[in-house]
């Protein structure tokens, strides 16, 4: 009787402890899963722009530096939305956000596998084309520009706004400093803006290597006879 009196309660106790251990194990697995998901979310937030889904500025230039070290002919584009302030002022910032999201979709649809696209400023984007010559980059820039101009964007019902971009294209050499590459692409972009916007400019040595910063925006420059983007 004594062994039975000891075995039955002991068995119940052990069973209860085993269920507790299973519960703790399951909770630990759940915590580990949540932690992995949180780490992935943090990694994505660091590497990708939360609005457009394109690469963040740091991630874009980090990958650009890695890729250009192993490729001989590459192209860097800087793309700036023309008169972006007008969209925000006329339709509100949510419409401006929708325009940027739309551009992100166009880049993903138009670019090739292996190309890099990142949001490097408010309405400024960087595109890196590996194993691409400068003339080829100019052609791809024209394809992107044409695709954006002809993509339907309607901030309000029955009111279409035509989004246009100016694009600066520059060849990328593996030995050049990143600042020099950016300066060349900025100079080409400045030239495209100066010539009236909504066009692609390929960097040439005669262009100024120190244009007014794109972030200062050449927005206040309005060529005579400029057309409105509203249709």
């Amino acid at each position: 009787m004594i062994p039975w009196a000891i075995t039955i309660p002991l068995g119940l106790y052990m069973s209860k402890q085993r269920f507790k251990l299973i519960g703790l194990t399951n909770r630990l697995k759940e915590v580990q899963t949540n932690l992995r998901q949180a780490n992935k979310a943090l990694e994505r937030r660091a590497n990708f722009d939360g609005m457009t889904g394109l690469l963040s500025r740091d991630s874009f230039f980090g990958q650009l530096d890695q890729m250009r070290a192993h490729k001989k002919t590459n192209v860097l584009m800087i793309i700036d939305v023309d008169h972006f302030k007008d969209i925000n002022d006329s339709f509100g910032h949510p419409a401006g956000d929708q325009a940027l999201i739309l551009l992100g979709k166009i880049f993903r649809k138009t670019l090739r596998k292996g190309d890099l696209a990142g949001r490097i400023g408010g309405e400024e984007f960087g595109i890196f084309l590996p194993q691409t010559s400068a003339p080829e980059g100019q052609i791809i820039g024209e394809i992107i520009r044409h695709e954006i101009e002809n993509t339907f964007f309607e901030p309000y019902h029955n009111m279409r706004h035509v989004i246009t971009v100016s694009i600066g294209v520059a060849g990328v050499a593996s030995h050049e400093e990143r600042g020099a590459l950016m300066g060349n692409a900025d100079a080409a972009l400045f030239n495209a803006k100066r010539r009236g916007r909504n066009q692609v400019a390929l960097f040439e040595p005669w262009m100024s290597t120190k244009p007014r910063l794109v972030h200062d925006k050449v927005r206040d420059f309005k060529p005579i006879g400029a057309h409105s983007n509203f249709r």
Side-chain angles (χ1 to χ4, degrees):
M1 295 296 294
I2 292 176
W4 281 102
I6 294 172
T7 302
I8 294 175
L10 182 61
L12 292 173
Y13 173 78
M14 293 296 292
S15 215
K16 186 176 180 181
Q17 292 300 108
R18 186 168 63 86
F19 282 119
K20 283 184 179 180
L21 184 60
I22 291 173
L24 288 172
T25 302
N26 290 336
R27 282 197 293 274
L28 180 60
K29 288 180 179 179
E30 184 179 351
V31 169
Q32 290 175 334
T33 300
N34 292 337
L35 183 60
R36 281 195 296 269
Q37 291 175 347
N39 287 335
K40 286 182 180 179
L42 287 173
E43 183 180 357
R44 180 166 183 81
R45 199 170 299 157
N47 294 328
F48 294 91
D49 175 59
M51 182 181 298
T52 63
L54 302 176
L55 292 172
S56 66
R57 179 184 176 88
D58 289 342
S59 182
F60 173 78
F61 284 115
Q63 292 191 41
L64 181 153
D65 288 339
Q66 290 180 358
M67 292 178 68
R68 73 187 178 98
H70 304 290
K71 309 294 182 183
K72 291 185 178 179
T73 55
N74 309 287
V75 164
L76 172 64
M77 289 185 193
I78 296 182
I79 300 176
D80 187 72
V81 183
D82 297 328
H83 303 296
F84 183 74
K85 188 175 181 296
D86 290 348
I87 300 177
N88 286 331
D89 291 346
S90 301
F91 306 112
H93 288 276
D97 293 345
Q98 289 302 313
L100 297 178
I101 292 170
L102 180 63
L103 291 181
K105 292 178 180 178
I106 292 172
F107 294 145
R108 283 191 291 271
K109 179 181 73 171
T110 308
L111 294 175
R112 306 162 301 180
K113 184 178 180 181
D115 294 339
L116 299 181
R119 185 183 178 196
I120 60 176
E123 64 271 21
E124 183 180 301
F125 300 88
I127 290 178
F128 178 73
L129 308 174
Q131 294 183 310
T132 305
S133 67
E136 290 171 338
Q138 188 174 19
I139 293 172
I140 294 173
E142 283 291 353
I143 292 172
I144 293 172
R145 186 202 62 75
H146 181 270
E147 186 72 22
I148 291 172
E149 186 180 20
N150 289 277
T151 296
F152 185 79
F153 177 60
E154 190 179 53
Y156 291 131
H157 182 61
N158 288 333
M159 182 177 287
R160 183 189 176 197
H161 180 84
V162 179
I163 303 174
T164 65
V165 296
S166 298
I167 304 177
V169 179
V172 175
S174 59
H175 63 276
E176 287 184 284
E177 294 290 335
R178 187 200 296 171
L181 303 176
M182 287 294 293
N184 293 345
D186 271 340
L189 174 61
F190 178 77
N191 190 261
K193 292 280 189 182
R194 186 171 57 84
R195 292 188 325 215
R197 298 182 170 87
N198 189 25
Q199 55 190 284
V200 180
L202 177 63
F203 175 75
E204 299 289 348
W206 57 264
M207 294 180 182
S208 170
T209 56
K210 291 184 179 179
R212 212 165 4 143
L213 289 178
V214 174
H215 298 289
D216 293 342
K217 291 306 177 216
V218 211
R219 288 196 190 105
D220 49 343
F221 175 84
K222 293 184 179 180
I224 298 174
H227 297 288
S228 169
N229 278 17
F230 296 96
R231 290 183 184 173

